[in-house]
Amino acid sequence: MPLYTHDQLFQQFNKALDAVYYPANPAELYEPINYALSVGGKRLRPVFMLLACQAFGGDVERTMAAAIALETFHNYTLLHDDLMDNADVRRGKPTVHKRWDANVAILSGDAMLELAYGRMYQALSQADGIAETARQSAFRLFLETTLQVSEGQQYDMNFEHRLDVTLNEYFEMIRLKTGVLIACALEMGALVGGATREQADKLYQYGLQIGRAFQLQDDYLDVFGDAKVFGKSIGGDIHEGKKTYLLISALSRSSAEQRLEIADRLTDHDADPQAKIDWFTQLYKSLGVPEACAQEMLSCYYEADKLLASVKMDDTGRQLIKDFADSLVHRVL
Amino acid sequence: MPLYTHDQLFQQFNKALDAVYYPANPAELYEPINYALSVGGKRLRPVFMLLACQAFGGDVERTMAAAIALETFHNYTLLHDDLMDNADVRRGKPTVHKRWDANVAILSGDAMLELAYGRMYQALSQADGIAETARQSAFRLFLETTLQVSEGQQYDMNFEHRLDVTLNEYFEMIRLKTGVLIACALEMGALVGGATREQADKLYQYGLQIGRAFQLQDDYLDVFGDAKVFGKSIGGDIHEGKKTYLLISALSRSSAEQRLEIADRLTDHDADPQAKIDWFTQLYKSLGVPEACAQEMLSCYYEADKLLASVKMDDTGRQLIKDFADSLVHRVL
C-alpha cells in the first residue's frame, strides 16, 4: 500500500468530494448542502482520518466515503453555528442563511446531518476487510462524538453571558466543540485501518491534544495574527465578546477594578470596533497573556508529540501524521 | 408472549419515556429536549412500532428503546418545523423557540436528532434475539427515512410560494413528510419482531396508505372539524396558506376567474382572519371538495385494510393494529 502525504490526501479527498452525487430535487435542500461542502477549507478531519488509516496499513480509497461523511458532519456544524452566531461570511463567501435564508439554513443543515449518518453507516458497512467489531466501534464513536460537539456549542453559547468562566470550563468546552471530532477522525481512521483498541485509544488522546493546540492557536491568531495569512479579520473574537483563552486569562490576571472595566468595555456595543480591539490587545500584552497562550499551546504540541511517539505504528505513517500537524502550526510570538 | 392493546402500549411507552435519563449539563440543551418529548401526543409511531413487533412474536419490552428513539426523531422534526413555521403553540404549550429562543430551538433540535440516531443504534444493537440482517435492515431504513422526512418538509415549504401544485405533487409531499415515518415504524417493528422481508414490505405499504389517510383527515378536520375534539383552532391551514388537499382540489375545480380570486384572497394578509376562513369554507363546500376529500380518505383506509389483511401474520396481532388505526379515524361528513 503506498503512503500519501497530507497534500496528496487533501487533493484526493477534494476530488472524491467533487464527484459526490446529490439528488436534483428538492433543489432548495441539496444546493445549499453542495454549496456549503464545496466552499473549501483545510479538510483537517478527513485528512487526519486518511493519514491514520494508511498508517495502520488501511486502504485510503476504501476509507474515502467515511472521510466524506465526517466532513459532511463538520460542515453541518459550521452551517448551523454560523446561523446561530449570525455570521455573514465563511471562507470569503456568504453563509447559507445569508445567501438563502434562515429556514433554508435550518433545514439544509438538518438534512446534511441526516446525510452524514447515512453516508457514514453506508461507508463503514461497504468497506471490505474491516473486522465487524472495528466497524461497530467506529460507528459508535461517531454517534457519541456528534452529540458531544453539540454540547460544546451549547457551552460556548452559554459562556457569552458569563464573565466568570474558568480556564477548566474553557478547556472542557473546546474539548467538546473542537477536540473530540479531530480525535474521532484519527481513531476512526485507525480502527478502519486495522489498529488495535490500544493504538486507537492513543491516537484519540493525540487528537484531543492537537485539537486543543489548534484552538489555542486560533484564539491567539485572532488577535495577534496577520490578517493576510490568517484569512479572517483581526479581533473578531473581541468584537463578539467570545470567551477565548486570551480573555479568560486576562480576567484571571486582573484586579477587581480592572475586571469591572473589562466587563464594561466588553458590553459596550457603541464603542468604535477598532478602538475596542486595540484596547483589549494592549490589555492582553500588558498582562503577559500572549506569552501564556503560546506557552500553553507549545506544551500541548509537546504532549501530542509524546503521545504520537508512543503509539506502536509504522514510522513513515507516523511521520506523515506529524508532518500534517506541523504544517498547521503557525509561528507565534 | 402477551399481546397488548394500543392503549396499554401507549401507557407502557409513556412510562418508559418518563424514565429516560438525560445528562444534567448543559441544561440549556437537555431541558428543551425533555420538554419537547414530554409535551405528549398520540405516540402514533412508537405504538405502531410496538404493535407490529408483537404481531410477529417480538418482545415489546425489548423494542421499547427503539420506539423511544423513533419518537425522539419525530419530536425533533416538530421542534424544527415549529421554528420554521413560526408556530407559537404545540399541544397547548409554548413551542421551544417561544419558551426559550430560536438558537435554543436550533441547537436542542440538532442534539435531539443526534440523540435519536445514537439511541436507535444502541437499541438495535442491544436487543437480543434479532437476526443481524434484520438489525441492519431496520437501521438502514431509519437512516433513509429521516432524510426523506426533511425532503418532505422542504417540498411543503416550497409549496407555500406556489399556486400550481398538483395533487400528485401533494401526495408525494405528504408521503415524504408523514407517510414514510409511519411506514418505517411499522416495518422496523415487524423486522425486530421477526417478520420476513415480504411481511415487512407489506406492512410498510400499509403504513404509507394509513399515513396518507391520516393526512387527508388532518386537512379535512382543520376546516370542517370540531375545535374541541380536534384540539387545534379551526382554519389554521387557510390562515397560513398551506397547500392542503382541500385547497389544491378547489383550485383544480375552479374557473380561471375563480383561481384569480383565490390567489388574491390567499395572499391578502390584511383580511379579517375569520372572514377569510369563512370564505374558503364556503368555496370548498360549493365545489364539493369536502366530499372528494372524505372519499379519497375512505379509499385509502380501504386500501390499507386490504393490505393489512394480505400480510401473513397472527390474527390477533393484526386486529390490534387495525383497532389502533380505527381509533384514530374520526367520523367525517
Side-chain angles (χ1 to χ4, degrees):
Chain A
M1 226 43 103
L3 294 184
Y4 299 103
T5 66
H6 62 87
D7 271 337
Q8 290 170 322
L9 292 172
F10 175 83
Q11 304 293 343
Q12 285 179 51
F13 175 79
N14 278 335
K15 211 174 140 194
L17 190 68
D18 276 349
V20 168
Y21 160 83
Y22 288 95
N25 289 303
E28 295 77 3
L29 198 66
Y30 291 110
E31 273 180 13
I33 295 178
N34 203 354
Y35 173 79
L37 268 166
S38 61
V39 163
K42 292 189 290 281
R43 310 302 189 192
L44 203 73
R45 293 145 196 87
V47 172
F48 266 131
M49 180 188 264
L50 298 170
L51 284 167
C53 172
Q54 71 173 8
F56 293 96
D59 183 341
V60 156
E61 279 302 311
R62 235 166 40 192
T63 312
M64 203 54 86
I68 287 172
L70 196 75
E71 186 70 0
T72 304
F73 170 76
H74 173 60
N75 280 267
Y76 134 78
T77 67
L78 300 180
L79 201 166
H80 273 191
D81 286 4
D82 283 343
L83 174 62
M84 290 184 272
D85 295 346
N86 204 15
D88 295 357
V89 174
R90 158 87 46 197
R91 294 179 192 127
K93 292 181 88 174
T95 48
V96 167
H97 66 101
K98 283 285 157 190
R99 173 143 173 188
W100 286 274
D101 60 35
N103 280 358
V104 166
I106 294 170
L107 194 61
S108 62
D110 289 349
M112 223 167 152
L113 177 56
E114 290 152 5
L115 208 54
Y117 288 109
R119 283 175 171 174
M120 188 59 87
Y121 188 73
Q122 188 76 356
L124 292 172
S125 307
Q126 283 184 341
D128 303 323
I130 306 174
E132 190 53 34
T133 50
R135 223 188 278 276
Q136 288 180 11
S137 299
F139 193 67
R140 232 173 235 140
L141 176 63
F142 180 65
L143 288 168
E144 275 169 36
T145 303
T146 54
L147 186 58
Q148 287 177 316
V149 175
S150 286
E151 292 181 349
Q153 168 69 3
Q154 183 66 57
Y155 283 121
D156 198 14
M157 282 170 25
N158 292 352
F159 289 179
E160 274 174 39
H161 315 289
R162 288 178 50 196
L163 268 179
D164 61 347
V165 178
T166 65
L167 275 181
N168 274 345
E169 288 178 305
Y170 165 83
F171 282 127
E172 176 60 3
M173 182 277 283
I174 65 168
R175 183 182 76 85
L176 292 166
K177 189 168 170 172
T178 308
V180 296
L181 192 59
I182 295 172
C184 169
L186 283 153
E187 176 165 338
M188 285 185 81
L191 287 170
V192 169
T196 63
R197 166 81 0 244
E198 198 199 332
Q199 291 168 320
D201 282 346
K202 277 200 176 158
L203 264 192
Y204 186 87
Q205 294 305 323
Y206 165 75
L208 289 185
Q209 283 296 329
I210 281 286
R212 187 160 159 161
F214 288 163
Q215 189 56 55
L216 287 164
Q217 176 173 286
D218 261 12
D219 286 5
Y220 183 96
L221 293 176
D222 181 74
V223 179
F224 300 103
D226 181 333
K228 269 173 285 175
V229 179
F230 196 36
K232 295 194 220 177
S233 60
I234 292 301
D237 290 344
I238 294 170
H239 185 66
E240 291 163 34
K242 284 253 173 210
K243 299 304 177 303
T244 63
Y245 181 91
L246 304 178
L247 181 55
I248 296 167
S249 295
L251 283 162
S252 75
R253 286 158 187 246
S254 298
S255 64
E257 201 181 336
Q258 265 179 316
R259 276 200 292 275
L260 284 176
E261 186 175 1
I262 292 173
D264 280 348
R265 289 188 179 260
L266 262 186
T267 50
D268 181 2
H269 301 295
D270 300 329
D272 171 62
Q274 194 53 53
K276 193 170 175 177
I277 292 166
D278 290 344
W279 188 85
F280 276 94
T281 307
Q282 280 314 312
L283 174 81
Y284 293 161
K285 280 187 183 164
S286 72
L287 293 168
V289 167
E291 291 79 8
C293 184
Q295 188 56 48
E296 183 69 42
M297 192 190 107
L298 290 175
S299 120
C300 289
Y301 273 123
Y302 179 73
E303 281 303 314
D305 273 350
K306 271 208 310 194
L307 278 162
L308 188 62
S310 76
V311 187
K312 277 192 188 149
M313 69 196 291
D314 176 83
D315 275 327
T316 313
R318 185 200 327 270
Q319 187 58 45
L320 289 166
I321 294 176
K322 192 169 150 43
D323 288 347
F324 183 44
D326 289 346
S327 79
L328 296 162
V329 181
H330 294 258
R331 204 174 290 269
V332 298
L333 291 180
Chain B
M1 225 46 101
L3 294 184
Y4 300 103
T5 66
H6 61 87
D7 272 337
Q8 290 171 322
L9 292 173
F10 175 82
Q11 304 294 342
Q12 285 180 50
F13 175 79
N14 278 335
K15 210 175 140 194
L17 190 67
D18 276 350
V20 169
Y21 161 84
Y22 289 94
N25 289 303
E28 295 77 3
L29 197 65
Y30 290 109
E31 274 180 12
I33 294 178
N34 203 355
Y35 172 80
L37 268 166
S38 61
V39 164
K42 293 188 291 281
R43 310 303 189 190
L44 203 73
R45 293 144 196 87
V47 172
F48 266 130
M49 180 187 264
L50 298 170
L51 284 167
C53 171
Q54 71 174 8
F56 292 96
D59 183 340
V60 157
E61 279 303 312
R62 234 166 40 192
T63 313
M64 203 54 87
I68 288 172
L70 197 73
E71 186 70 0
T72 304
F73 171 76
H74 173 59
N75 280 266
Y76 134 79
T77 67
L78 300 180
L79 202 167
H80 273 191
D81 285 4
D82 284 343
L83 174 63
M84 289 184 273
D85 294 347
N86 204 14
D88 295 358
V89 175
R90 157 89 42 198
R91 294 176 192 129
K93 292 180 89 175
T95 47
V96 167
H97 66 102
K98 282 287 157 187
R99 175 147 170 185
W100 286 273
D101 60 33
N103 280 359
V104 166
I106 294 170
L107 194 61
S108 62
D110 289 350
M112 224 167 153
L113 177 57
E114 288 152 7
L115 208 53
Y117 287 110
R119 284 174 171 176
M120 187 61 85
Y121 189 74
Q122 187 76 354
L124 293 173
S125 306
Q126 284 184 341
D128 303 322
I130 306 174
E132 189 53 35
T133 51
R135 224 187 278 277
Q136 288 179 13
S137 298
F139 193 68
R140 230 172 237 144
L141 176 63
F142 179 65
L143 288 168
E144 274 169 37
T145 302
T146 54
L147 186 58
Q148 287 177 316
V149 174
S150 286
E151 291 181 350
Q153 168 69 2
Q154 183 66 57
Y155 282 122
D156 198 14
M157 284 172 21
N158 293 352
F159 288 179
E160 275 174 38
H161 316 289
R162 287 178 50 195
L163 268 179
D164 60 347
V165 178
T166 64
L167 275 181
N168 275 344
E169 287 178 305
Y170 165 83
F171 282 127
E172 175 62 3
M173 183 275 283
I174 65 168
R175 184 182 75 86
L176 293 166
K177 188 167 171 173
T178 308
V180 295
L181 192 58
I182 295 173
C184 168
L186 283 153
E187 176 165 338
M188 285 184 80
L191 287 170
V192 168
T196 63
R197 165 76 9 240
E198 199 198 332
Q199 291 167 320
D201 282 345
K202 278 202 175 157
L203 266 192
Y204 186 88
Q205 294 305 322
Y206 165 74
L208 289 184
Q209 283 295 329
I210 281 287
R212 188 160 158 163
F214 289 163
Q215 189 56 53
L216 287 164
Q217 175 173 286
D218 262 11
D219 286 5
Y220 182 95
L221 292 175
D222 182 74
V223 178
F224 300 103
D226 180 334
K228 269 173 286 176
V229 179
F230 196 36
K232 295 195 221 177
S233 60
I234 293 299
D237 289 344
I238 294 170
H239 185 67
E240 291 164 34
K242 284 253 175 211
K243 297 306 177 301
T244 65
Y245 180 90
L246 304 177
L247 182 55
I248 296 167
S249 295
L251 283 162
S252 75
R253 286 157 186 247
S254 300
S255 63
E257 202 180 335
Q258 265 179 315
R259 276 199 291 274
L260 284 176
E261 187 175 3
I262 293 173
D264 280 348
R265 288 187 180 261
L266 263 186
T267 49
D268 181 2
H269 301 294
D270 299 328
D272 172 62
Q274 193 53 54
K276 192 169 174 176
I277 291 166
D278 290 344
W279 188 85
F280 275 94
T281 307
Q282 281 313 313
L283 174 80
Y284 293 162
K285 282 186 181 164
S286 72
L287 293 169
V289 167
E291 292 79 7
C293 184
Q295 188 55 48
E296 182 71 41
M297 193 191 108
L298 291 174
S299 118
C300 289
Y301 274 124
Y302 179 73
E303 282 303 315
D305 273 350
K306 272 208 310 195
L307 277 162
L308 188 62
S310 76
V311 188
K312 277 192 188 150
M313 67 196 294
D314 176 81
D315 275 328
T316 313
R318 186 201 325 270
Q319 187 58 45
L320 289 165
I321 294 175
K322 191 169 149 43
D323 289 348
F324 183 45
D326 288 348
S327 79
L328 296 163
V329 180
H330 294 259
R331 205 174 288 269
V332 299
L333 289 180

